[in-house]
Amino acid sequence: MTTLFVNACMRGEESRTLTLCREYLAGITDDVVEVDLAALDLKPFDASKVAYRTEKQKTQAWDDPIFDLSHQFAEADHIVVGAPYWDLSFPSALKVYLEYVSVCDIAFHYTEDARCEGICKAKTLTYIASCGGFVEGANFGYEYLCGIAKMFGIPETRFVAAEGLDIVGIDVDEQMNKAREQIAALR
Ligand SMILES: Cc1cc2nc3c(=O)[nH]c(=O)nc-3n(C[C@H](O)[C@H](O)[C@H](O)COP(=O)(O)O)c2cc1C
């Protein structure tokens, strides 16, 4: 089994989200493949990239490198997304990554009766975040990923967050430990 770790922890080794992701990943038995979005530095899709990809889709040139990230995502058995809570959602690098992944006839397709149907193999998408405040009522990043998981045919989504980490006077270790308890409950 393969778990794909989509690492959107843009602060690298300083990231509390990354700490939680690593602890979660250390406790699973799958092979873990990591996509480091800070290192990858993907550019958003523009007109020429859309035209290029559309042409490759039309000619079914599925081995073109433009589809590599989509194939990798679609073939993983489990997905783990690590993303800090930025501006009520997540770093834009994650949205750009999803532009590369979200490909018709790799991640989803249309049925004969024109229904969008997910064709990714993953059974779960686990979203791990850390937040300066509390996300209650504004968990837009995770909610968006739930929509993506539904579109891609991933049946189960799970959420873990260490919250309130930037609140003056808060016990950061205690908040991190609460997230660790959530991680333990996933296993
Ligand atoms: C660009 C940016 C935007 C942020 N936006 C929010 C926000 O909207 N709400 C919030 O509670 N915290 C926000 N924060 C604080 C982070 O969520 C918090 O520091 C988090 O723990 C960072 O995760 P990291 O340690 O993995 O980098 C933001 C931080 C940055 C750098």
Side-chain angles (χ1 to χ4, degrees):
M1 301 279 261
T2 299
T3 288
L4 179 68
F5 172 37
V6 180
N7 176 1
C9 302
M10 308 310 285
R11 295 198 310 125
E13 295 305 314
E14 297 296 309
S15 165
R16 284 88 56 101
T17 314
L18 185 58
T19 299
L20 293 174
C21 291
R22 288 201 175 134
E23 289 176 12
Y24 172 78
L25 293 168
I28 63 171
T29 54
D30 286 11
D31 295 329
V32 177
V33 176
E34 178 175 339
V35 183
D36 180 347
L37 298 186
L40 210 52
D41 195 23
L42 296 167
K43 299 288 170 282
F45 268 70
D46 58 12
S48 70
K49 212 182 266 291
V50 169
Y52 179 86
R53 185 169 75 179
T54 302
E55 183 57 30
K56 296 297 169 191
Q57 283 172 289
K58 271 189 200 150
T59 56
Q60 302 200 354
W62 299 118
D63 56 353
D64 190 276
I66 195 130
F67 298 126
D68 286 355
L69 290 170
S70 186
H71 286 305
Q72 183 187 48
F73 188 100
E75 285 159 19
D77 298 295
H78 297 278
I79 307 289
V80 174
V81 176
Y85 187 59
W86 277 15
D87 307 320
L88 306 186
S89 62
F90 47 65
S92 57
L94 178 56
K95 176 63 178 74
V96 174
Y97 168 74
L98 290 169
E99 291 179 354
Y100 285 78
V101 168
S102 187
V103 178
C104 187
D105 293 327
I106 300 179
F108 63 92
H109 67 183
Y110 288 94
T111 60
E112 281 180 8
D113 57 343
R115 270 185 312 107
C116 180
E117 185 176 68
I119 51 174
C120 289
K121 207 170 133 191
K123 296 280 174 290
T124 61
L125 186 153
T126 303
Y127 190 93
I128 300 176
S130 77
C131 322
F134 287 82
V135 291
E136 195 179 350
N139 202 354
F140 301 119
Y142 175 61
E143 286 171 17
Y144 174 65
L145 263 294
C146 288
I148 286 285
K150 193 172 176 196
M151 178 179 169
F152 290 177
I154 302 171
E156 184 183 355
T157 55
R158 297 117 56 101
F159 176 74
V160 169
E163 297 184 88
L165 299 188
D166 296 340
I167 295 173
V168 176
I170 205 158
D171 186 336
V172 172
D173 289 339
E174 188 181 324
Q175 295 306 107
M176 289 289 280
N177 286 337
K178 283 183 192 165
R180 291 184 174 111
E181 285 168 19
Q182 296 168 37
I183 286 172
L186 293 180
R187 297 204 183 106

